[in-house]
């Protein structure tokens, strides 16, 4: 266990559903601190770069369309085991498989429009945080 930082995104469906505060509350109640946050509207190139690891997947184009259809809230969450903790708070990728009480179980529409993103490991967290934030925008 160690203090980690992870990247969170509240996706366009989360903004449309008006659950920014609900997501933030779950992060905070789960012991995570929001040490950076902003609302942005990604263009196609920004979303494609973010999801580059998925570019061969059949859902890539649809995912990029979805992620660029409206603004998102990107945040850096910090705390003990933050990467795994955030994934636990989010729930499984497919809301039908997500545990009760998770963000995706409660708010996600389907496997694509699943309300939140969270980094999946230390290396991706580092890349993803630097993809959206300068060092001086993070208040650890
Ligand atoms: P996670 O976000 O849980 O880490 P992945 O990294 O596997 O999941 O996928 C990235 C995102 O791509 C998902 O959060 C979801 O928005 C979308 N996605 C994943 N699998 C599918 C799928 N089978 N069909 C459509 N969209 C998908
Ligand atoms: Mg992932």
């Amino acid at each position: 266990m160690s203090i980690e930082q992870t990247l969170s995104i509240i996706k366009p469906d989360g903004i449309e559903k008006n659950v920014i505060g609900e997501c933030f509350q779950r992060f905070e109640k789960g012991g995570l601190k929001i040490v950076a946050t902003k609302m942005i509207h990604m263009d196609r190139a920004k979303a494609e770069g973010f999801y580059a690891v998925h570019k061969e997947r059949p859902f890539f184009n649809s995912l990029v369309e979805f992620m660029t259809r409206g603004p998102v809230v990107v945040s850096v969450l910090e705390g003990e085991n933050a990467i795994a903790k955030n994934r636990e708070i989010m729930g499984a990728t497919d809301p039908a498989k997500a545990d009760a009480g998770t963000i995706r179980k409660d708010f996600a529409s389907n496997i694509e429009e699943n309300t939140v993103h969270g980094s999946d490991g230390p290396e991706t967290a580092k890349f993803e945080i630097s993809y959206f934030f300068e060092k001086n925008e993070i208040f650890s």
Side-chain angles (χ1 to χ4, degrees):
M1 299 265 280
S2 63
I3 300 290
E4 293 174 336
Q5 292 184 343
T6 189
L7 184 86
S8 160
I9 304 178
I10 303 175
K11 298 183 180 185
D13 70 301
I15 310 304
E16 291 158 11
K17 289 163 183 156
N18 204 25
V19 294
I20 297 170
E22 185 74 51
C23 293
F24 277 7
Q25 188 166 50
R26 289 172 188 223
F27 300 148
E28 291 179 341
K29 288 223 157 96
L32 300 176
K33 286 192 167 159
I34 299 159
V35 296
T37 193
K38 60 188 167 191
M39 187 178 278
I40 61 166
H41 191 159
M42 287 191 272
D43 62 16
R44 193 164 187 96
K46 188 81 177 174
E48 284 176 350
F50 181 72
Y51 279 123
V53 294
H54 294 307
K55 70 174 181 298
E56 305 304 333
R57 308 282 284 275
F59 56 81
F60 180 72
N61 268 313
S62 172
L63 177 61
V64 169
E65 284 291 320
F66 162 52
M67 290 299 287
T68 56
R69 83 169 180 220
V72 300
V73 170
V74 288
S75 304
V76 180
L77 307 179
E78 183 179 271
E80 196 73 51
N81 248 1
I83 297 167
K85 184 73 205 179
N86 183 40
R87 302 275 315 182
E88 186 186 312
I89 293 167
M90 290 161 54
T93 308
D94 181 355
K97 296 179 183 151
D99 288 341
T102 61
I103 291 174
R104 283 166 164 173
K105 182 66 168 191
D106 291 344
F107 304 118
S109 302
N110 52 58
I111 194 169
E112 178 173 88
E113 300 197 13
N114 58 7
T115 315
V116 278
H117 167 85
S119 308
D120 64 5
E123 287 311 309
T124 46
K126 206 170 163 213
F127 164 75
E128 292 178 356
I129 290 168
S130 69
Y131 196 75
F132 292 106
F133 293 96
E134 302 292 336
K135 283 225 154 44
N136 67 3
E137 294 178 306
I138 302 170
F139 299 91
S140 180

